[in-house]
């Protein structure tokens, strides 16, 4: 079977070890997920006739597959995203490397090339809570994150708590909003001209962003002739600026680029 249920927000994961598993908030389930919007017995994942099926067990807040609410047993496979209430997981084939999830399946999130990289990851009843209106997420092409998250003041607060507090002086800073409360901060120093840094979810990249919408090798940050740019390297979900897909972006201070469903803010450190 070789299947694993993995949180899309990089939290918990559960290896599927039986042909039928119950999922819910109660500790007696095969997979217990302690979230208020999950019912005690929320859903069941079963392996039947060489196929995986997910079934909602009359839960309060419903189950969806790839942003579509289900009302009968539904086929699922590795790469599909399942939401239990408002908690989203994707299915991973443990016999393979984790594949990049097509971003439209993911729920909308709320709110050695000549350099050095600094990484900082910032901190973040008995009855089922009822979600009054079950709204399907709009998908990655229509993300509406509050503008206040990306103002110069808001981004600089994040940089002050990480880069500046450690008395570091990089040339530029990248702030990745993997989620609203845990921005990922990278300081980049260009030691020579014509330098580059790979960005992706894989283990062998210089700038690692662990989100299922990010490809193993997603993009390349380039410094050449005094100019910074970001280039797509054949990723699944690409680069977007102002909702427009692009293969290369010339970066300027406070530029916002979306990689899959993750937004990146580029800050020129010398201008802070």
């Amino acid at each position: 079977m070789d299947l694993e249920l993995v949180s899309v927000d990089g939290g918990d994961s559960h290896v599927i070890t039986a042909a039928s598993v119950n999922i819910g908030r109660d500790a007696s389930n095969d997979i217990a997920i302690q979230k208020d919007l999950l019912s005690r017995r929320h859903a069941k994942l079963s392996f039947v006739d060489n196929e995986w099926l997910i079934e909602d067990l009359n839960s309060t807040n419903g189950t969806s597959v790839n942003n579509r609410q289900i009302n009968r047993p539904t086929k699922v496979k590795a790469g599909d995203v399942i939401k239990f209430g408002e908690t989203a997981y994707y299915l991973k084939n443990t016999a393979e490397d984790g594949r990049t999830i097509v971003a439209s399946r993911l729920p909308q999130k709320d709110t050695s090339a000549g350099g050095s990289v600094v990484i900082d990851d910032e901190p973040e009843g008995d009855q089922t809570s009822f979600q009054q209106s079950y709204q399907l997420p709009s998908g990655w092409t229509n993300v509406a994150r509050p503008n206040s998250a990306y103002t110069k003041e808001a981004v600089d607060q994040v940089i002050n708590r990480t880069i500046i507090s450690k008395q570091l002086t990089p040339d530029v800073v990248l702030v990745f909003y993997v989620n609203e409360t845990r921005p990922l901060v990278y300081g980049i120093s260009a030691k020579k001209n014509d330098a580059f840094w790979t960005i992706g979810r894989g283990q062998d990249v210089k700038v690692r962003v662990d989100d299922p919408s990010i490809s193993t090798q997603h993009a390349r940050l380039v410094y050449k002739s005094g100019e910074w740019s970001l280039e797509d390297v054949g990723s699944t979900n690409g680069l977007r600026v102002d909702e427009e897909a692009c293969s290369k972006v010339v970066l300027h201070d406070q530029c916002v680029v979306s990689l899959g469903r993750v937004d990146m803010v580029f800050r020129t450190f010398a201008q802070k």
Side-chain angles (χ1 to χ4, degrees), residues 3 50 115 117 142 144 146 155 169 173 194 206 232 260 267:
L3 204 65
N50 212 34
V117 178
N142 193 27
V155 174
T169 56
V173 178
D194 201 13
K206 281 291 183 178
D232 183 77
R267 290 288 279 121

Tab-separated table of all heavy atoms in Angstrom, residues 3 50 115 117 142 144 146 155 169 173 194 206 232 260 267:
chain	number	residue	atom	x	y	z
A	3	LEU	N	1.258	4.099	1.635
A	3	LEU	CA	0.581	5.392	1.557
A	3	LEU	C	0.732	6.126	2.888
A	3	LEU	O	0.755	5.520	3.955
A	3	LEU	CB	-0.902	5.195	1.231
A	3	LEU	CG	-1.625	6.372	0.563
A	3	LEU	CD1	-1.037	6.641	-0.820
A	3	LEU	CD2	-3.105	6.093	0.446
A	50	ASN	N	-8.037	-2.923	-5.094
A	50	ASN	CA	-6.804	-2.287	-5.559
A	50	ASN	C	-6.927	-0.778	-5.740
A	50	ASN	O	-6.167	-0.159	-6.490
A	50	ASN	CB	-6.318	-2.919	-6.878
A	50	ASN	CG	-4.807	-2.899	-6.991
A	50	ASN	OD1	-4.102	-3.022	-5.985
A	50	ASN	ND2	-4.304	-2.727	-8.197
A	115	GLY	N	27.835	32.427	-2.159
A	115	GLY	CA	27.124	33.253	-1.202
A	115	GLY	C	26.877	32.514	0.089
A	115	GLY	O	27.307	31.386	0.260
A	117	VAL	N	23.798	31.677	3.177
A	117	VAL	CA	22.363	31.649	3.423
A	117	VAL	C	22.120	31.545	4.922
A	117	VAL	O	22.716	30.730	5.603
A	117	VAL	CB	21.683	30.458	2.705
A	117	VAL	CG1	20.206	30.426	3.007
A	117	VAL	CG2	21.919	30.543	1.206
A	142	ASN	N	-6.460	32.559	-7.128
A	142	ASN	CA	-7.310	33.632	-6.629
A	142	ASN	C	-7.030	33.908	-5.156
A	142	ASN	O	-7.913	34.213	-4.386
A	142	ASN	CB	-8.792	33.249	-6.814
A	142	ASN	CG	-9.707	34.432	-6.614
A	142	ASN	OD1	-9.298	35.568	-6.830
A	142	ASN	ND2	-10.927	34.161	-6.205
A	144	ALA	N	-6.159	35.756	-1.915
A	144	ALA	CA	-6.356	37.150	-1.514
A	144	ALA	C	-5.821	37.355	-0.111
A	144	ALA	O	-6.555	37.435	0.849
A	144	ALA	CB	-7.837	37.523	-1.584
A	146	PRO	N	-4.248	39.416	2.908
A	146	PRO	CA	-4.343	40.830	3.268
A	146	PRO	C	-3.070	41.585	2.904
A	146	PRO	O	-1.961	41.128	3.174
A	146	PRO	CB	-4.525	40.770	4.802
A	146	PRO	CG	-5.083	39.418	5.067
A	146	PRO	CD	-4.492	38.516	4.039
A	155	VAL	N	6.889	43.575	6.905
A	155	VAL	CA	8.009	42.724	6.504
A	155	VAL	C	9.256	43.062	7.318
A	155	VAL	O	9.993	42.171	7.768
A	155	VAL	CB	8.288	42.872	4.997
A	155	VAL	CG1	9.551	42.103	4.598
A	155	VAL	CG2	7.103	42.368	4.181
A	169	THR	N	24.335	40.857	8.229
A	169	THR	CA	24.265	41.923	7.213
A	169	THR	C	24.288	41.324	5.808
A	169	THR	O	25.264	41.485	5.063
A	169	THR	CB	25.421	42.913	7.380
A	169	THR	OG1	26.666	42.186	7.329
A	169	THR	CG2	25.317	43.675	8.689
A	173	VAL	N	17.214	40.065	1.501
A	173	VAL	CA	16.466	39.165	2.385
A	173	VAL	C	15.241	38.655	1.636
A	173	VAL	O	14.532	39.435	0.984
A	173	VAL	CB	16.037	39.876	3.685
A	173	VAL	CG1	15.229	38.935	4.563
A	173	VAL	CG2	17.258	40.392	4.445
A	194	ASP	N	27.703	36.953	-10.864
A	194	ASP	CA	27.269	35.758	-11.577
A	194	ASP	C	27.113	34.565	-10.628
A	194	ASP	O	27.610	33.468	-10.879
A	194	ASP	CB	28.258	35.417	-12.706
A	194	ASP	CG	27.611	34.534	-13.774
A	194	ASP	OD1	26.372	34.418	-13.755
A	194	ASP	OD2	28.347	33.971	-14.597
A	206	LYS	N	19.842	25.280	-2.035
A	206	LYS	CA	20.401	26.268	-1.120
A	206	LYS	C	19.324	26.937	-0.264
A	206	LYS	O	19.548	27.280	0.887
A	206	LYS	CB	21.162	27.339	-1.919
A	206	LYS	CG	22.537	26.916	-2.359
A	206	LYS	CD	23.451	26.785	-1.156
A	206	LYS	CE	24.866	26.433	-1.554
A	206	LYS	NZ	25.755	26.347	-0.382
A	232	ASP	N	12.270	30.495	-13.142
A	232	ASP	CA	11.637	29.192	-12.975
A	232	ASP	C	12.524	28.126	-13.618
A	232	ASP	O	13.122	28.359	-14.670
A	232	ASP	CB	10.255	29.193	-13.628
A	232	ASP	CG	9.521	27.885	-13.409
A	232	ASP	OD1	9.014	27.678	-12.309
A	232	ASP	OD2	9.472	27.074	-14.354
A	260	GLY	N	4.244	28.589	-6.557
A	260	GLY	CA	3.123	27.746	-6.170
A	260	GLY	C	2.156	28.588	-5.369
A	260	GLY	O	1.723	29.654	-5.806
A	267	ARG	N	13.486	41.796	-0.283
A	267	ARG	CA	13.898	43.074	0.324
A	267	ARG	C	15.381	43.289	0.117
A	267	ARG	O	16.198	42.392	0.362
A	267	ARG	CB	13.589	43.090	1.822
A	267	ARG	CG	12.131	43.165	2.166
A	267	ARG	CD	11.532	44.551	1.870
A	267	ARG	NE	11.833	45.473	2.958
A	267	ARG	CZ	12.501	46.605	2.800
A	267	ARG	NH1	12.984	46.937	1.632
A	267	ARG	NH2	12.689	47.400	3.828
